Amino acid sequence: MKIMKRLLIIFILTLPTLGLAQELDNSKKFTVGINTNVNIGYRKLSAQDNYFDWIIDSRNEREVPGFGYSYGIISELYLIKKLSIDVSILFESKNYKTESIDGLFSDGTEAILIFYYRHYYLSTPVKLNFTFLNKNKFSLYATGGGSVNLFAYRRNKSIIKYTDNKNEVSKSDKAKDFNAYSISMLAGLGINYDVSELLRIKIEPILNYSNSPVMDAPISESLQNVGLNIGLGFKIK
């Protein structure tokens, strides 16, 4: 978390040295559109009491990253020629799971168990984008910012695979006891491609890092992911 904060502070403080001290661009545009994201997510576990270290070690051995996604609307406004701010409203799924676990029931039945932990949020990312290369219809930019994530619910899913090829699936949704919101830090690089004077495609690898616990518990659990944003924007003069 401290590293991410320092990177964002350095990014913001160095903007004036990157040629941003210039007149406002009279042709600046406002862009609005849609965005989707696919990501690989995980969680960070920590505890103030060393007694829980053995539980953390056990979970780290059997839990692995899982695929997540987000989708929603995006908007972008150029403040000056190379600097823009973008604001989004997204529905997000932040996930992780267990690896396959061998199970043996009391009646002697053997099976393989997999557990999925899916966290759903309504998120509002706010980022600053600095364009450092602009050639023809392509532009490259660096981006950094933060997001407030309002918790919706968590869905636990379990799959039991029996040796006779039969599967048993169960799901349960839970919202109680989870923290109402979390804060994420964002950083990445992106490519803009202007299809036309009115249409723009955005491709953006992004790191989403949070140190906010999903709930108040002896073992603190915070969510992170690395993903790819793909956006389609309509430019408005």
Side-chain angles (χ1 to χ4, degrees):
M1 186 69 172
K2 291 181 179 179
I3 295 175
M4 290 296 300
K5 287 183 178 179
R6 289 173 183 172
L7 288 174
L8 289 174
I9 291 172
I10 292 172
F11 173 74
I12 294 172
L13 291 178
T14 54
L15 288 178
T17 69
L18 298 174
L20 293 177
Q22 52 185 296
E23 294 181 359
L24 289 174
D25 183 10
N26 291 329
S27 63
K28 65 181 180 181
K29 292 182 175 65
F30 174 74
T31 303
V32 63
I34 56 176
N35 186 83
T36 186
N37 169 283
V38 290
N39 62 69
I40 298 177
Y42 199 44
R43 80 295 176 275
K44 184 180 74 172
L45 303 177
S46 61
Q48 294 183 349
D49 191 334
N50 293 335
Y51 170 79
F52 297 100
D53 287 351
W54 70 274
I55 300 178
I56 294 175
D57 293 339
S58 176
R59 289 185 59 181
N60 286 337
E61 289 179 0
R62 70 175 187 270
E63 293 176 353
V64 295
F67 287 101
Y69 62 87
S70 70
Y71 57 87
I73 59 174
I74 57 174
S75 63
E76 183 177 12
L77 175 66
Y78 274 86
L79 305 175
I80 49 181
K81 197 168 186 179
K82 294 184 178 181
L83 182 67
S84 66
I85 182 171
D86 75 45
V87 181
S88 306
I89 300 176
L90 305 174
F91 181 74
E92 282 193 283
S93 175
K94 302 182 178 185
N95 309 321
Y96 64 92
K97 64 178 184 175
T98 66
E99 58 185 7
S100 298
I101 303 172
D102 293 330
L104 179 63
F105 293 92
S106 58
D107 61 358
T109 302
E110 296 181 353
I112 295 175
L113 298 85
I114 305 175
F115 298 92
Y116 296 84
Y117 306 101
R118 297 171 175 170
H119 306 76
Y120 296 93
Y121 289 87
L122 182 64
S123 300
T124 53
V126 179
K127 299 180 295 178
L128 286 175
N129 303 327
F130 169 68
T131 301
F132 57 86
L133 179 62
N134 197 332
K135 188 173 183 180
N136 298 326
K137 295 183 177 182
F138 289 92
S139 61
L140 300 179
Y141 63 91
T143 185
S147 176
V148 177
N149 315 303
L150 302 179
F151 180 76
Y153 63 96
R154 168 165 151 167
R155 172 167 293 170
N156 295 337
K157 177 182 176 182
S158 63
I159 299 178
I160 303 176
K161 299 181 179 181
Y162 296 99
T163 53
D164 60 1
N165 294 324
K166 292 183 179 179
N167 294 341
E168 182 179 324
V169 179
S170 61
K171 299 177 182 179
S172 63
D173 294 347
K174 187 176 181 181
K176 188 179 179 181
D177 299 328
F178 287 84
N179 290 332
Y181 69 94
S182 66
I183 305 294
S184 297
M185 307 297 288
L186 308 170
L189 296 171
I191 302 173
N192 284 324
Y193 176 69
D194 292 325
V195 179
S196 67
E197 292 184 357
L198 298 178
L199 187 62
R200 168 175 288 177
I201 296 175
K202 179 190 294 283
I203 300 175
E204 183 185 275
I206 191 78
L207 170 66
N208 187 318
Y209 181 91
S210 176
N211 207 34
S212 302
V214 297
M215 66 167 58
D216 296 325
I219 297 178
S220 177
E221 176 182 322
S222 54
L223 304 173
Q224 298 93 34
N225 63 65
V226 177
L228 182 68
N229 287 329
I230 301 175
L232 182 64
F234 302 90
K235 296 183 285 185
I236 303 173
K237 293 184 178 181

